[in-house]
Amino acid sequence: MEIIQSLKWRYATKKFDTTKILSKEKIDTLTEAFNLTATSYGLQPLKLVVIHDKEIQNKLTEHSWNQKQVADASHVLVFCIENVVGEEYITQYFNTVKDIRNTSDEILNPFKEQLINSFKDKPSEEISNWASKQAYLAMGNILTVCATEKIDACPMEGFIPEKYNEILKLTELGLSAVLVLPVGYRAEDDMFADLKKVRRPINESVIIL
């Protein structure tokens, strides 16, 4: 039940305490959790940008519909997707599998070729949509970890990706911003902290067959 209590504790934080900063250990936990997130085919078409620079945070706030969480949070996590997932990227993934597991090419090549051919036939928009879904998986995982670590967070889609890409120079890295997650500690006067969580009853949201 401890995990359930943690999930009840968490909420989309509207106001952060600007005097409280997450420790390196807490950030390391979040980045490790991000890296361990399950992704389709195990391809990890994602990267996480961790921002702890008030000047950058203030610039980004302007392009986040002026939501102060971006400026006031201890850190801002930006979930990004790879702009190109093709033969080179997939081959690199399988080389990593081979190095870590010592799996032979004879076993790996059939699946590798299948994925290469599959992605070769997909429109870039379809691949982008697929990769974005992996970003949502990663954010969901991070939100749960935040709850267990008593880290406050505010998941956000309300920002201008093109401006984030420009300010963070993501395009030069072959990346695009998809989601934003300010993290830190809630302010004592955040009125939303004590509001009861609103959810449908379990019997209306879960179907057991």
Side-chain angles (χ1 to χ4, degrees):
M1 291 298 292
E2 185 176 342
I3 182 64
I4 298 300
Q5 292 307 314
S6 294
L7 292 173
K8 289 180 177 180
W9 170 86
R10 69 148 299 276
Y11 73 108
T13 305
K14 304 303 182 186
K15 188 175 182 181
F16 286 96
D17 186 334
T18 58
T19 68
K20 294 182 179 179
I21 304 299
L22 291 173
S23 67
K24 181 181 182 301
E25 290 73 20
K26 292 289 189 183
I27 293 298
D28 287 346
T29 296
L30 296 184
T31 56
E32 185 75 10
F34 170 82
N35 201 46
L36 289 170
T37 296
T39 58
S40 180
Y41 307 117
L43 286 177
Q44 289 183 282
L46 310 170
K47 284 193 178 175
L48 184 69
V49 178
V50 181
I51 303 167
H52 181 50
D53 183 312
K54 287 302 175 187
E55 183 177 349
I56 296 176
Q57 288 174 234
N58 286 328
K59 286 182 182 178
L60 294 175
T61 300
E62 180 183 348
H63 306 294
S64 310
W65 310 115
N66 291 314
Q67 296 177 84
K68 291 294 289 179
Q69 296 97 313
V70 175
D72 294 343
S74 168
H75 294 67
V76 176
L77 311 184
V78 182
F79 294 73
C80 306
I81 60 171
E82 299 278 354
N83 290 333
V84 178
V85 180
E87 182 172 355
E88 182 179 351
Y89 185 90
I90 293 170
T91 298
Q92 184 178 12
Y93 165 72
F94 278 92
N95 287 341
T96 303
V97 174
K98 184 178 179 180
D99 290 342
I100 293 176
R101 295 180 175 172
N102 199 29
T103 308
S104 69
D105 288 331
E106 183 180 5
I107 293 174
L108 292 177
N109 282 344
F111 186 35
K112 179 177 77 172
E113 294 303 321
Q114 178 186 338
L115 280 184
I116 289 173
N117 291 331
S118 174
F119 276 79
K120 189 181 299 182
D121 294 335
K122 296 181 189 296
S124 58
E125 183 179 352
E126 182 179 341
I127 294 176
S128 178
N129 288 337
W130 165 81
S132 295
K133 291 178 182 178
Q134 314 314 306
Y136 279 86
L137 285 175
M139 177 175 276
N141 188 37
I142 293 295
L143 285 172
T144 299
V145 173
C146 282
T148 62
E149 292 289 320
K150 292 297 182 283
I151 297 171
D152 288 297
C154 182
M156 291 172 49
E157 293 179 301
F159 70 103
I160 302 173
E162 294 78 12
K163 290 296 185 180
Y164 269 64
N165 295 343
E166 178 185 334
I167 292 169
L168 301 176
K169 297 179 170 36
L170 297 178
T171 304
E172 299 170 19
L173 300 174
L175 303 171
S176 294
V178 173
L179 294 167
V180 176
L181 186 68
V183 293
Y185 296 105
R186 66 188 68 176
E188 290 185 5
D189 60 346
D190 186 351
M191 61 174 286
F192 292 91
D194 296 324
L195 295 180
K196 290 184 177 180
K197 195 175 290 294
V198 178
R199 294 293 188 274
R200 290 185 293 173
I202 288 288
N203 63 358
E204 291 183 12
S205 63
V206 177
I207 299 173
I208 299 177
L209 300 179

